[in-house]
Amino acid sequence: MQTLLADKMRPQKKEDIIGQKHLFGDNKILTNWINNKRLFSIILYGKPGIGKTSIANVLTNELNLKYRSLNAVINNKKDFDGVIEEAKMYNGIVLIMDEIHRLNKDKQDLLLPYLENGLITLIGMTTSNPYHSINPAIRSRCQLIELKDLTKDDIIYALKQDKIKELLPNIIIDSECYSIIARYATYDLRTAYNLLEIAYFTTDNQHITIELLKNIVQKNNVFVDKNEDGYYNLLSAFQKSIRGSDVNASIHYLARLLESDDLESVCRRLSVITYEDIGLAKPEIWSSIEAAINSALRLGMPEARIPLSAAVIALALSPKSNSAEIAIDNAINDIRYGKTGDVPVHLHNGCEQYKYPHDYPNDYVKQQYLPNEIKDRIYYIPKNNTNEKLLKAVIDNLSKIK
């Protein structure tokens, strides 16, 4: 069995980790755990290929800890029993578990008492948000650690390491190929290593060029612009044309993006535009744009161009409002700068002083909901379009009720 380049490049010590400076920089959490020779149960979460498995391996290697690796889906209860028996034999073991968000109840019940007494130290890994996808009983016993997305510079740094030249002798890479590999991989380091290795063994002279990558990747959007500015300028012009209600420019940039063969990016951008630029001015459009996006993704090109064209025309010619974005951003800024306060007592769970709106005429009763410190703060300011005039009327009418 051949070992892939991505596996050969796995870090062995903390200095080898790519990115994740918030965890492995000077005086950062995982650096200090290693320096203090201490490990706690953790759940590592983030996108594929950004270092979850590598970090788990580095922690056990640096701390010289005995460990076993399991997959929450593939491995059965008997495998988990084996780890527990081994933990008892060695008075403790680290269990590295992939796809921990898919751990079923039987396996959870088996592990919980040993996590509680420290016989097993868990390093769970998941691409899902653990606050939503992992059982609270497991989550409460673990420190949750988010991995940050890798940047283009992180990927390029990884691809230029001296060890690459040792593992792929005589390799020559044209300088512009590094950015192309990073973009194709969407900053997934495993994918970047895999593409580099495939390209290396696809040549007869170990020389990796743009033309070679084009033959392998066959995804036009990766090659739109060598310095990446052109591609992102297209996406920017696309959104700004829709925001500016120029339907012809909007269709033009849609066509250019579709010709660059990046259907997913177009669909993501349309989802953003729907709520960022049209928003509450025309809320009935939300479901129709989502339906158009789903149709496009299901159909694929070239048919996807038709529902997307309809969606873009509808968005460009819709009334515009960013009032919802402004409202949430102002609220977030207040919280970040400490402009908050205690939840009013009558809103506490089970408080008898709370007035239940459904017991009052028109299902409304006047009472304070915001904390005292910001009780008069206004976040949502309706704009002057047909729908938001109706929303403003609702707000005005409620304010008149004694």
Side-chain angles (χ1 to χ4, degrees):
M1 186 173 67
Q2 297 179 346
T3 303
L4 296 175
L5 177 66
D7 289 322
K8 294 176 181 176
M9 293 297 295
R10 284 205 184 280
Q12 297 301 311
K13 52 187 188 296
K14 63 180 185 295
E15 290 79 13
D16 299 333
I17 293 288
I18 303 296
Q20 314 310 331
K21 299 301 182 187
H22 65 299
L23 303 177
F24 284 99
D26 291 340
N27 203 32
K28 300 301 181 182
I29 179 172
L30 296 187
T31 297
N32 287 340
W33 284 7
I34 290 171
N35 292 340
N36 292 322
K37 306 295 183 186
R38 186 67 190 271
L39 181 64
F40 301 90
S41 287
I42 57 175
I43 294 172
L44 303 171
Y45 67 101
K47 292 179 182 176
I50 61 175
K52 295 184 291 294
T53 303
S54 293
I55 287 175
N57 291 339
V58 163
L59 289 171
T60 53
N61 188 58
E62 289 266 26
L63 295 171
N64 195 28
L65 298 171
K66 185 171 288 293
Y67 71 92
R68 288 291 176 266
S69 297
L70 295 179
N71 183 296
V73 178
I74 297 171
N75 292 106
N76 57 33
K77 189 170 178 291
K78 184 178 178 180
D79 298 323
F80 281 75
D81 286 331
V83 171
I84 291 169
E85 291 306 312
E86 199 167 351
K88 292 176 180 176
M89 185 186 308
Y90 293 107
N91 196 31
I93 201 169
V94 176
L95 173 58
I96 299 175
M97 190 187 307
D98 202 8
E99 296 194 81
I100 189 171
H101 62 283
R102 299 181 67 182
L103 190 68
N104 66 32
K105 189 175 186 305
D106 286 347
K107 295 170 186 174
Q108 291 173 21
D109 292 343
L110 187 67
L111 287 177
L112 281 174
Y114 301 105
L115 291 178
E116 193 73 56
N117 66 21
L119 192 66
I120 288 179
T121 301
L122 177 66
I123 302 180
M125 298 175 293
T126 178
T127 57
S128 299
N129 185 332
Y131 294 97
H132 304 307
S133 62
I134 293 179
N135 182 287
I138 294 287
R139 197 174 65 227
S140 68
R141 290 162 173 81
C142 299
Q143 178 74 26
L144 306 184
I145 295 181
E146 181 181 10
L147 275 64
K148 304 296 185 183
D149 293 354
L150 297 180
T151 65
K152 181 184 75 170
D153 290 340
D154 290 331
I155 300 293
I156 292 174
Y157 172 80
L159 295 176
K160 288 184 175 181
Q161 292 181 87
D162 291 339
K163 190 176 179 180
I164 295 281
K165 297 176 182 178
E166 298 173 11
L167 296 172
L168 303 176
N170 303 316
I171 188 172
I172 301 171
I173 310 176
D174 289 352
S175 59
E176 57 266 36
C177 291
Y178 289 109
S179 290
I180 289 170
I181 292 173
R183 185 194 293 172
Y184 169 78
T186 58
Y187 311 130
D188 173 333
L189 186 52
R190 185 189 301 109
T191 299
Y193 281 144
N194 288 344
L195 177 57
L196 181 66
E197 185 172 27
I198 290 169
Y200 175 81
F201 285 106
T202 304
T203 70
D204 57 1
N205 60 0
Q206 291 74 55
H207 185 184
I208 298 175
T209 64
I210 289 181
E211 287 305 312
L212 174 68
L213 292 176
K214 281 185 177 180
N215 290 332
I216 297 170
V217 171
Q218 296 181 348
K219 190 175 180 182
N220 293 335
N221 72 294
V222 176
F223 305 95
V224 169
D225 188 75
K226 290 180 183 178
N227 63 14
E228 298 192 10
D229 289 342
Y231 180 67
Y232 292 108
N233 286 342
L234 274 182
L235 283 170
S236 176
F238 178 54
Q239 180 164 2
K240 287 172 181 173
S241 297
I242 293 175
R243 182 185 296 149
S245 301
D246 188 324
V247 66
N248 296 305
S250 302
I251 289 293
H252 170 78
Y253 290 118
L254 171 65
R256 287 175 65 171
L257 287 165
L258 292 178
E259 281 297 288
S260 73
D261 193 28
D262 193 8
L263 182 59
E264 289 188 5
S265 287
V266 171
C267 289
R268 282 197 302 271
R269 188 55 65 105
L270 284 178
S271 286
V272 171
I273 292 168
T274 302
Y275 295 96
E276 181 179 346
D277 294 310
I278 283 74
L280 291 167
K282 192 176 182 181
E284 63 269 26
I285 204 173
W286 302 344
S287 58
S288 61
I289 298 302
E290 188 65 27
I293 289 170
N294 289 336
S295 294
L297 292 173
R298 184 171 64 252
L299 292 168
M301 288 295 289
E303 290 86 354
R305 77 192 191 285
I306 303 169
L308 291 181
S309 177
V312 166
I313 292 169
L315 290 171
L317 298 179
S318 289
K320 308 297 191 296
S321 174
N322 65 341
S323 59
E325 180 186 15
I326 291 171
I328 188 60
D329 286 349
N330 286 340
I332 288 172
N333 283 334
D334 276 0
I335 291 165
R336 288 177 177 172
Y337 288 99
K339 295 179 181 177
T340 182
D342 294 332
V343 174
V345 172
H346 61 277
L347 298 184
H348 288 191
N349 187 36
C351 181
E352 295 181 359
Q353 299 172 35
Y354 170 62
K355 297 176 183 177
Y356 187 57
H358 298 301
D359 289 340
Y360 294 82
N362 301 314
D363 300 297
Y364 178 79
V365 60
K366 203 174 193 70
Q367 63 184 326
Q368 181 181 324
Y369 291 96
L370 280 170
N372 284 328
E373 293 84 346
I374 55 170
K375 64 184 178 66
D376 296 320
R377 188 73 164 97
I378 295 174
Y379 293 113
Y380 173 56
I381 301 175
K383 291 207 166 185
N384 192 32
N385 55 69
T386 301
N387 186 67
E388 290 191 89
K389 285 180 181 177
L390 297 175
L391 298 179
K392 184 177 186 302
V394 172
I395 294 171
D396 290 344
N397 289 334
L398 290 175
S399 67
K400 295 174 185 176
I401 297 175
K402 299 299 183 182

